[in-house]
Amino acid sequence: MTGAMAIAQSVRSGQQSATQLLDQCLTALAKEAAPLCAVTRIMAGPARRDAARIDALVAAGRDPGPLAGVPFGVKDLFDIAGLPTTAGSRLYADAPPATQDAEAIRRLKAAGAILVASLNMDEFAYGFATINALHGTTRNPHDLTRLAGGSSGGSAAVVAAGLLPFSLGSDTNGSIRVPASLTGLYGLKPTHGALPMTGVFPFAESFDDIGPFTASLADMVTIWEVLAGRSAQDDGAPIRLAQLGGRFAENIDPEQSAAIDAIAPDSPVVTVPDIARARSAAFLITASEGGRLHRAALARDAMAFDPQVRDRLIAGALLPDGLYAEAQAFRARFRATMLDLIAPYDVLIAPATPCTAPPINDPRILIDGAMAPARADLGIHSQPISFTGFPSFSIPLYRPGRLPLGLQLIGKPGGEPTLFRLAAMLEQRGITGVAMPGHPYSGDIA
């Protein structure tokens, strides 16, 4: 499927109908999505009604919006009117249906986009791998024997496979940036609280944000503008860059390191103090908030949870309040330190993940010289950034024919427009850009 902007232009100009494009999308999903294990539900009926409404607006000479006729999907924790919000768990498969769409879905539909599917995730968004006990493990379109990352892996996989032009995920500690890096997409974790969270099932509310996956930078900018309700134009001033050193430089692929040097050859290298402690505190806060949220459900029916998720939630629910308060106090101090550190710069550059996608049959990665579980440690570089609430944009290195790998562009609060402008400059230089898989479904399934 082509990009969102091309689809919208085609529909708005009357060259193609939204209904025709939707039928093509639904056919492709029916034929090609199954090997990815990425789609949990298809909303064909409501989608066809929305497409007919858009076609009627075009026929009447009215503008249906900047995303006219563009199909999209959402991670399985967004409220969708008439369906239960399951957050990837069998525990809520028979929950009362949502009475209205999540606010983000509402804004996208108002701009003409058409919701088509809900997408696989780690149960309750607790993981970096999209290994789901109910729906299965989402597979990477570039190599079906490898993970797509998580917890928004389904949202990344359908876009990377070309089955949807964009999708929405959520990011608590890296759940957009990790799968974006591993599947070769643009993925945004916005400034904390900048995009609407109403109607999104929480994981750890003090970190949670939503954001898009796209295969096009132009698509990302337009979708962000629709969701944020503001322009992506910045002041156009020269962008001051710095590299993140320390642990960010210790767990890095050589090609990421070379790309960072090419992007900012004369920029300073900044080492963040207490970065390991920050990640530990982020783990603690996440575990505590997640455990508290699910405490009653755990007491009522613990066996309905994915065992790996259940055990971590129980541990989080048992953490003392004093320890949680201490971690939050450290977080405030760390964020103040990061604000001081970034003050002379506009963007900090770091790896998005420490490596390419690990194999499903051995989901481990090399961290600090030892093999570590991917489900917990793929977010080693994203988690400390979430801790600050700063915006972070995962952008794909241009690596046609090879497994994808991404960088993080980290900005000041509210600095998304500058991140987009820098990403456009890097794409023009050929350093970054999306390379769709040439043979997405070749090879044996592990």
Side-chain angles (χ1 to χ4, degrees), residues 151-232:
S151 63
S152 306
S155 298
V158 291
V159 177
L163 297 177
L164 289 175
F166 82 94
S167 66
L168 292 186
S170 69
D171 191 311
T172 301
N173 288 302
S175 288
I176 289 173
R177 289 160 289 165
V178 167
S181 177
L182 300 188
T183 62
L185 298 174
Y186 291 101
L188 177 69
K189 195 294 257 188
T191 302
H192 182 58
L195 299 186
M197 292 296 298
T198 303
V200 180
F201 196 106
F203 172 25
E205 290 189 85
S206 67
F207 290 170
D208 290 349
D209 288 295
I210 64 164
F213 291 94
T214 69
S216 154
L217 185 56
D219 290 354
M220 173 63 70
V221 171
T222 298
I223 293 159
W224 180 83
E225 288 181 330
V226 167
L227 290 171
R230 58 175 283 212
S231 169

Side-chain angles (χ1 to χ4, degrees), residues 298-330:
L298 286 164
R300 183 174 62 251
D301 191 6
M303 299 309 293
F305 288 75
D306 175 344
Q308 293 195 49
V309 173
R310 178 186 63 223
D311 294 347
R312 286 181 288 168
L313 289 173
I314 291 172
L318 296 175
L319 287 169
D321 290 346
L323 191 58
Y324 173 79
E326 183 179 344
Q328 286 284 28
F330 172 79

